[in-house]
Amino acid sequence: MQPRNSRLNSSALRGAVDLAAVKAAGEAAQKAEQARAERARQAAAAEASGVAPAQSASQLVIDVTEDTFEAEVVQRSTEVPVVIDFWAEWCGPCKQLSPVLEGLAEEYAGRFVLAKIDVDSNQLLAEQFGIQGIPAVMAVVAGQLVPLFQGAESAANIRKILDQLILVAEQRFGVGGGAAAAPGEARAAAPQRPEDPALTAAHDALDSGDLGGAIRAYRNVLTEQPGNTEAKLGLAQAELLQRIEGLDLQAVRAAAASDPKNVEVQLQAADLDLVGGHVEDAFGRLVDTVGRTAGEDRDAARLRLLELFEVIGTEDPRVIAARTALARVLF
């Protein structure tokens, strides 16, 4: 989500980062369980009547169009990660990458589904996803977009990316593939965690723009529950929003461009980049700042980068890539 003006708010931030996705994860998992339970009921009824169940579960690689995207990608992503391969017939690297992805879909045996989108035939989808070059590979988990990589990659590197994607899908969104994703098969429903009133109050304060109240509320939750991921994420976002209050977007970016050695303005620009949805730009700016500074300035840039990692979520592939880049400039 792009900010409408230089003064940003919690709604803008929630459109750019993952707190909404964390809160939606329980909903997505619950819907997936309901869908699986309904398919299990239908399969049991079909078996009782002597009718064989449909075999569409073996379809691990699917061609997706603008007409089928909602059902085949968005709805399916509540049950299993959907990896999207944007390709075209004329694209040489696509012809190298696509068979690798298709082979991995078979190898992973239902832990993810591969959706292939021809950008020439589905230009609206390519435009909506901001595809500027192909091959491009993204994923959708519980309706949330997760950028993966662009260009050809080796099977070994893709396996690492897929393993991380599957881990994030299971741990953050409660979405898992494998046999559980097959129609007609059920798994035990995960117990629903009761809503935490203190956490709800913190979210409400953040939504209403009461940043000081939200920060205090999230810290109170973390005092009682130090490992609460949702509270950590909410606190990081509230602190970020508090930092950018009153900043002028254009002025900060102009100052950052004209004075790369001004660490304070680089930190402000990175905050604004992140809130504007330019996650890789924010990370890259801070990694570059760490690389060109020393002493307290370097520590300030490094610590701000770690804070922004918390905003996005430490398992996010963009965070993992930025951690690698940070290690290179530090060591």
Side-chain angles (χ1 to χ4, degrees):
M1 178 181 296
Q2 297 295 329
R4 295 180 181 176
N5 52 49
S6 60
R7 186 171 178 80
L8 303 170
N9 55 35
S10 61
S11 297
L13 179 59
R14 283 175 180 267
V17 293
D18 290 339
L19 181 59
V22 173
K23 292 181 69 177
E27 259 179 54
Q30 186 174 10
K31 289 179 181 177
E33 296 295 348
Q34 291 171 349
R36 280 188 284 267
E38 176 60 19
R39 286 198 301 269
R41 186 193 65 76
Q42 293 175 358
E47 184 177 354
S49 61
V51 178
Q55 297 301 312
S56 60
S58 62
Q59 201 172 13
L60 302 178
V61 181
I62 54 177
D63 291 311
V64 173
T65 67
E66 291 165 2
D67 291 336
T68 62
F69 182 83
E70 177 69 25
E72 295 286 14
V73 175
V74 179
Q75 294 181 18
R76 191 186 291 253
S77 75
T78 65
E79 304 174 55
V80 62
V82 179
V83 174
I84 307 175
D85 175 19
F86 290 93
W87 68 284
E89 184 61 37
W90 48 264
C91 170
C94 298
K95 294 180 179 179
Q96 299 175 6
L97 178 64
S98 289
V100 175
L101 291 172
E102 291 168 13
L104 289 170
E106 296 291 336
E107 177 183 321
Y108 276 69
R111 298 182 70 196
F112 74 92
V113 170
L114 179 64
K116 297 175 63 63
I117 296 180
D118 183 338
V119 297
D120 287 339
S121 303
N122 301 278
Q123 295 181 10
L124 180 59
L125 282 177
E127 180 180 343
Q128 290 175 336
F129 277 85
I131 301 301
Q132 297 180 344
I134 55 174
V137 181
M138 300 186 179
V140 178
V141 180
Q144 305 296 316
L145 179 64
V146 182
L148 297 182
F149 61 90
Q150 184 172 335
E153 282 282 357
S154 68
N157 285 343
I158 297 172
R159 282 190 188 92
K160 293 178 183 177
I161 294 169
L162 291 173
D163 289 343
Q164 189 65 45
L165 172 69
I166 291 166
L167 181 65
V168 171
E170 292 174 346
Q171 292 187 350
R172 181 176 295 182
F173 298 98
V175 173
E185 296 185 16
R187 69 180 183 185
Q192 297 300 306
R193 185 176 61 184
E195 192 168 355
D196 183 341
L199 194 56
T200 300
H203 291 330
D204 290 344
L206 181 59
D207 284 335
S208 68
D210 179 8
L211 300 179
I215 289 170
R216 289 191 297 272
Y218 283 125
R219 286 176 177 168
N220 288 339
V221 173
L222 289 170
T223 298
E224 299 295 328
Q225 306 170 45
N228 190 306
T229 302
E230 196 171 339
K232 289 180 181 178
L233 181 55
L235 176 61
Q237 293 192 37
E239 290 176 336
L240 170 58
L241 286 168
Q242 191 175 63
R243 289 198 302 268
I244 65 168
E245 276 196 311
L247 293 181
D248 183 281
L249 179 66
Q250 286 73 30
V252 169
R253 285 186 173 166
S258 64
D259 190 0
K261 294 183 179 181
N262 186 326
V263 173
E264 182 59 32
V265 79
Q266 296 302 324
L267 300 184
Q268 293 175 351
D271 283 345
L272 291 169
D273 283 342
L274 194 92
V275 172
H278 307 292
V279 176
E280 291 91 345
D281 290 344
F283 291 168
R285 181 187 298 278
L286 290 177
V287 168
D288 290 344
T289 302
V290 170
R292 71 167 72 96
T293 55
E296 292 182 359
D297 285 344
R298 169 178 269 206
D299 284 342
R302 179 182 61 83
L303 291 174
R304 178 61 53 83
L305 184 56
L306 297 180
E307 290 174 8
L308 296 189
F309 287 168
E310 290 292 339
V311 173
I312 295 301
T314 55
E315 301 93 350
D316 189 288
R318 295 166 294 184
V319 171
I320 294 167
R323 282 192 186 279
T324 302
L326 177 62
R328 284 198 296 266
V329 299
L330 285 174
F331 307 109

PDB file of all heavy atoms in Angstrom, residues 279-300:
ATOM      1  N   VAL A 279      10.027  -3.013   1.059  1.00  0.00           N
ATOM      2  CA  VAL A 279      10.762  -3.748   2.096  1.00  0.00           C
ATOM      3  C   VAL A 279      12.214  -3.955   1.702  1.00  0.00           C
ATOM      4  O   VAL A 279      13.136  -3.683   2.484  1.00  0.00           O
ATOM      5  CB  VAL A 279      10.072  -5.099   2.378  1.00  0.00           C
ATOM      6  CG1 VAL A 279      10.880  -5.915   3.392  1.00  0.00           C
ATOM      7  CG2 VAL A 279       8.651  -4.879   2.874  1.00  0.00           C
ATOM      8  N   GLU A 280      12.450  -4.451   0.471  1.00  0.00           N
ATOM      9  CA  GLU A 280      13.824  -4.698   0.048  1.00  0.00           C
ATOM     10  C   GLU A 280      14.627  -3.407  -0.001  1.00  0.00           C
ATOM     11  O   GLU A 280      15.823  -3.395   0.319  1.00  0.00           O
ATOM     12  CB  GLU A 280      13.840  -5.385  -1.326  1.00  0.00           C
ATOM     13  CG  GLU A 280      13.334  -6.814  -1.317  1.00  0.00           C
ATOM     14  CD  GLU A 280      11.837  -6.904  -1.581  1.00  0.00           C
ATOM     15  OE1 GLU A 280      11.155  -5.843  -1.476  1.00  0.00           O
ATOM     16  OE2 GLU A 280      11.346  -7.998  -1.883  1.00  0.00           O
ATOM     17  N   ASP A 281      13.989  -2.297  -0.407  1.00  0.00           N
ATOM     18  CA  ASP A 281      14.693  -1.015  -0.440  1.00  0.00           C
ATOM     19  C   ASP A 281      15.119  -0.595   0.961  1.00  0.00           C
ATOM     20  O   ASP A 281      16.234  -0.100   1.165  1.00  0.00           O
ATOM     21  CB  ASP A 281      13.796   0.068  -1.045  1.00  0.00           C
ATOM     22  CG  ASP A 281      13.552  -0.124  -2.536  1.00  0.00           C
ATOM     23  OD1 ASP A 281      14.309  -0.900  -3.154  1.00  0.00           O
ATOM     24  OD2 ASP A 281      12.620   0.487  -3.064  1.00  0.00           O
ATOM     25  N   ALA A 282      14.225  -0.768   1.934  1.00  0.00           N
ATOM     26  CA  ALA A 282      14.554  -0.412   3.315  1.00  0.00           C
ATOM     27  C   ALA A 282      15.735  -1.226   3.824  1.00  0.00           C
ATOM     28  O   ALA A 282      16.691  -0.687   4.415  1.00  0.00           O
ATOM     29  CB  ALA A 282      13.334  -0.622   4.215  1.00  0.00           C
ATOM     30  N   PHE A 283      15.676  -2.537   3.591  1.00  0.00           N
ATOM     31  CA  PHE A 283      16.763  -3.402   4.045  1.00  0.00           C
ATOM     32  C   PHE A 283      18.074  -3.054   3.335  1.00  0.00           C
ATOM     33  O   PHE A 283      19.136  -2.968   3.955  1.00  0.00           O
ATOM     34  CB  PHE A 283      16.411  -4.867   3.802  1.00  0.00           C
ATOM     35  CG  PHE A 283      15.307  -5.399   4.677  1.00  0.00           C
ATOM     36  CD1 PHE A 283      14.709  -6.622   4.406  1.00  0.00           C
ATOM     37  CD2 PHE A 283      14.865  -4.686   5.783  1.00  0.00           C
ATOM     38  CE1 PHE A 283      13.699  -7.129   5.218  1.00  0.00           C
ATOM     39  CE2 PHE A 283      13.860  -5.176   6.602  1.00  0.00           C
ATOM     40  CZ  PHE A 283      13.275  -6.403   6.311  1.00  0.00           C
ATOM     41  N   GLY A 284      17.994  -2.869   2.010  1.00  0.00           N
ATOM     42  CA  GLY A 284      19.202  -2.569   1.246  1.00  0.00           C
ATOM     43  C   GLY A 284      19.839  -1.260   1.677  1.00  0.00           C
ATOM     44  O   GLY A 284      21.070  -1.146   1.773  1.00  0.00           O
ATOM     45  N   ARG A 285      19.024  -0.258   1.963  1.00  0.00           N
ATOM     46  CA  ARG A 285      19.533   1.040   2.416  1.00  0.00           C
ATOM     47  C   ARG A 285      20.327   0.872   3.722  1.00  0.00           C
ATOM     48  O   ARG A 285      21.416   1.449   3.876  1.00  0.00           O
ATOM     49  CB  ARG A 285      18.369   2.003   2.627  1.00  0.00           C
ATOM     50  CG  ARG A 285      18.800   3.400   3.091  1.00  0.00           C
ATOM     51  CD  ARG A 285      17.587   4.243   3.430  1.00  0.00           C
ATOM     52  NE  ARG A 285      16.712   4.471   2.307  1.00  0.00           N
ATOM     53  CZ  ARG A 285      16.909   5.414   1.372  1.00  0.00           C
ATOM     54  NH1 ARG A 285      17.966   6.216   1.466  1.00  0.00           N
ATOM     55  NH2 ARG A 285      16.053   5.568   0.387  1.00  0.00           N
ATOM     56  N   LEU A 286      19.790   0.098   4.645  1.00  0.00           N
ATOM     57  CA  LEU A 286      20.461  -0.054   5.933  1.00  0.00           C
ATOM     58  C   LEU A 286      21.699  -0.939   5.830  1.00  0.00           C
ATOM     59  O   LEU A 286      22.696  -0.691   6.509  1.00  0.00           O
ATOM     60  CB  LEU A 286      19.479  -0.614   6.963  1.00  0.00           C
ATOM     61  CG  LEU A 286      18.372   0.365   7.375  1.00  0.00           C
ATOM     62  CD1 LEU A 286      17.404  -0.295   8.354  1.00  0.00           C
ATOM     63  CD2 LEU A 286      18.952   1.627   7.996  1.00  0.00           C
ATOM     64  N   VAL A 287      21.633  -1.973   5.000  1.00  0.00           N
ATOM     65  CA  VAL A 287      22.828  -2.798   4.794  1.00  0.00           C
ATOM     66  C   VAL A 287      23.946  -1.940   4.210  1.00  0.00           C
ATOM     67  O   VAL A 287      25.105  -2.012   4.644  1.00  0.00           O
ATOM     68  CB  VAL A 287      22.511  -3.998   3.873  1.00  0.00           C
ATOM     69  CG1 VAL A 287      23.806  -4.683   3.432  1.00  0.00           C
ATOM     70  CG2 VAL A 287      21.617  -5.005   4.585  1.00  0.00           C
ATOM     71  N   ASP A 288      23.615  -1.108   3.227  1.00  0.00           N
ATOM     72  CA  ASP A 288      24.621  -0.216   2.636  1.00  0.00           C
ATOM     73  C   ASP A 288      25.168   0.761   3.680  1.00  0.00           C
ATOM     74  O   ASP A 288      26.370   1.055   3.702  1.00  0.00           O
ATOM     75  CB  ASP A 288      24.016   0.573   1.477  1.00  0.00           C
ATOM     76  CG  ASP A 288      23.713  -0.303   0.266  1.00  0.00           C
ATOM     77  OD1 ASP A 288      24.248  -1.431   0.211  1.00  0.00           O
ATOM     78  OD2 ASP A 288      22.959   0.141  -0.615  1.00  0.00           O
ATOM     79  N   THR A 289      24.290   1.257   4.544  1.00  0.00           N
ATOM     80  CA  THR A 289      24.726   2.190   5.584  1.00  0.00           C
ATOM     81  C   THR A 289      25.673   1.513   6.565  1.00  0.00           C
ATOM     82  O   THR A 289      26.684   2.091   6.977  1.00  0.00           O
ATOM     83  CB  THR A 289      23.507   2.761   6.334  1.00  0.00           C
ATOM     84  OG1 THR A 289      22.635   3.410   5.394  1.00  0.00           O
ATOM     85  CG2 THR A 289      23.938   3.772   7.389  1.00  0.00           C
ATOM     86  N   VAL A 290      25.359   0.279   6.939  1.00  0.00           N
ATOM     87  CA  VAL A 290      26.270  -0.480   7.805  1.00  0.00           C
ATOM     88  C   VAL A 290      27.625  -0.635   7.132  1.00  0.00           C
ATOM     89  O   VAL A 290      28.683  -0.495   7.767  1.00  0.00           O
ATOM     90  CB  VAL A 290      25.668  -1.861   8.136  1.00  0.00           C
ATOM     91  CG1 VAL A 290      26.702  -2.756   8.830  1.00  0.00           C
ATOM     92  CG2 VAL A 290      24.438  -1.713   9.029  1.00  0.00           C
ATOM     93  N   GLY A 291      27.601  -0.909   5.821  1.00  0.00           N
ATOM     94  CA  GLY A 291      28.843  -1.138   5.094  1.00  0.00           C
ATOM     95  C   GLY A 291      29.723   0.086   4.983  1.00  0.00           C
ATOM     96  O   GLY A 291      30.957  -0.047   4.880  1.00  0.00           O
ATOM     97  N   ARG A 292      29.132   1.276   5.007  1.00  0.00           N
ATOM     98  CA  ARG A 292      29.941   2.487   4.800  1.00  0.00           C
ATOM     99  C   ARG A 292      30.246   3.248   6.086  1.00  0.00           C
ATOM    100  O   ARG A 292      30.847   4.323   6.049  1.00  0.00           O
ATOM    101  CB  ARG A 292      29.250   3.426   3.806  1.00  0.00           C
ATOM    102  CG  ARG A 292      28.004   4.102   4.324  1.00  0.00           C
ATOM    103  CD  ARG A 292      27.590   5.239   3.384  1.00  0.00           C
ATOM    104  NE  ARG A 292      27.053   4.725   2.145  1.00  0.00           N
ATOM    105  CZ  ARG A 292      25.756   4.550   1.897  1.00  0.00           C
ATOM    106  NH1 ARG A 292      24.854   4.855   2.825  1.00  0.00           N
ATOM    107  NH2 ARG A 292      25.349   4.098   0.758  1.00  0.00           N
ATOM    108  N   THR A 293      29.813   2.714   7.240  1.00  0.00           N
ATOM    109  CA  THR A 293      30.002   3.430   8.504  1.00  0.00           C
ATOM    110  C   THR A 293      30.810   2.593   9.486  1.00  0.00           C
ATOM    111  O   THR A 293      31.157   1.440   9.217  1.00  0.00           O
ATOM    112  CB  THR A 293      28.645   3.784   9.140  1.00  0.00           C
ATOM    113  OG1 THR A 293      27.861   2.583   9.288  1.00  0.00           O
ATOM    114  CG2 THR A 293      27.882   4.771   8.273  1.00  0.00           C
ATOM    115  N   ALA A 294      31.083   3.180  10.636  1.00  0.00           N
ATOM    116  CA  ALA A 294      31.827   2.482  11.678  1.00  0.00           C
ATOM    117  C   ALA A 294      31.372   2.998  13.040  1.00  0.00           C
ATOM    118  O   ALA A 294      30.681   4.016  13.133  1.00  0.00           O
ATOM    119  CB  ALA A 294      33.331   2.711  11.500  1.00  0.00           C
ATOM    120  N   GLY A 295      31.766   2.297  14.097  1.00  0.00           N
ATOM    121  CA  GLY A 295      31.490   2.749  15.444  1.00  0.00           C
ATOM    122  C   GLY A 295      30.017   2.856  15.761  1.00  0.00           C
ATOM    123  O   GLY A 295      29.214   1.975  15.408  1.00  0.00           O
ATOM    124  N   GLU A 296      29.631   3.946  16.426  1.00  0.00           N
ATOM    125  CA  GLU A 296      28.244   4.126  16.857  1.00  0.00           C
ATOM    126  C   GLU A 296      27.284   4.227  15.674  1.00  0.00           C
ATOM    127  O   GLU A 296      26.151   3.748  15.762  1.00  0.00           O
ATOM    128  CB  GLU A 296      28.130   5.370  17.739  1.00  0.00           C
ATOM    129  CG  GLU A 296      28.833   5.233  19.084  1.00  0.00           C
ATOM    130  CD  GLU A 296      28.646   6.468  19.954  1.00  0.00           C
ATOM    131  OE1 GLU A 296      27.984   7.426  19.484  1.00  0.00           O
ATOM    132  OE2 GLU A 296      29.147   6.477  21.090  1.00  0.00           O
ATOM    133  N   ASP A 297      27.727   4.861  14.601  1.00  0.00           N
ATOM    134  CA  ASP A 297      26.864   4.970  13.427  1.00  0.00           C
ATOM    135  C   ASP A 297      26.539   3.589  12.861  1.00  0.00           C
ATOM    136  O   ASP A 297      25.397   3.299  12.497  1.00  0.00           O
ATOM    137  CB  ASP A 297      27.534   5.823  12.344  1.00  0.00           C
ATOM    138  CG  ASP A 297      27.499   7.309  12.677  1.00  0.00           C
ATOM    139  OD1 ASP A 297      26.715   7.694  13.573  1.00  0.00           O
ATOM    140  OD2 ASP A 297      28.234   8.075  12.039  1.00  0.00           O
ATOM    141  N   ARG A 298      27.542   2.744  12.774  1.00  0.00           N
ATOM    142  CA  ARG A 298      27.321   1.386  12.262  1.00  0.00           C
ATOM    143  C   ARG A 298      26.379   0.621  13.182  1.00  0.00           C
ATOM    144  O   ARG A 298      25.474  -0.073  12.715  1.00  0.00           O
ATOM    145  CB  ARG A 298      28.652   0.657  12.128  1.00  0.00           C
ATOM    146  CG  ARG A 298      28.493  -0.838  11.851  1.00  0.00           C
ATOM    147  CD  ARG A 298      29.822  -1.530  11.667  1.00  0.00           C
ATOM    148  NE  ARG A 298      30.204  -1.538  10.265  1.00  0.00           N
ATOM    149  CZ  ARG A 298      31.020  -2.451   9.722  1.00  0.00           C
ATOM    150  NH1 ARG A 298      31.545  -3.400  10.472  1.00  0.00           N
ATOM    151  NH2 ARG A 298      31.312  -2.414   8.452  1.00  0.00           N
ATOM    152  N   ASP A 299      26.580   0.743  14.491  1.00  0.00           N
ATOM    153  CA  ASP A 299      25.708   0.051  15.440  1.00  0.00           C
ATOM    154  C   ASP A 299      24.258   0.530  15.310  1.00  0.00           C
ATOM    155  O   ASP A 299      23.317  -0.273  15.379  1.00  0.00           O
ATOM    156  CB  ASP A 299      26.193   0.277  16.873  1.00  0.00           C
ATOM    157  CG  ASP A 299      27.416  -0.560  17.211  1.00  0.00           C
ATOM    158  OD1 ASP A 299      27.671  -1.546  16.473  1.00  0.00           O
ATOM    159  OD2 ASP A 299      28.100  -0.232  18.190  1.00  0.00           O
ATOM    160  N   ALA A 300      24.088   1.847  15.119  1.00  0.00           N
ATOM    161  CA  ALA A 300      22.731   2.385  14.995  1.00  0.00           C
ATOM    162  C   ALA A 300      22.029   1.817  13.767  1.00  0.00           C
ATOM    163  O   ALA A 300      20.859   1.426  13.824  1.00  0.00           O
ATOM    164  CB  ALA A 300      22.785   3.909  14.915  1.00  0.00           C
TER     165      ALA A 300
END
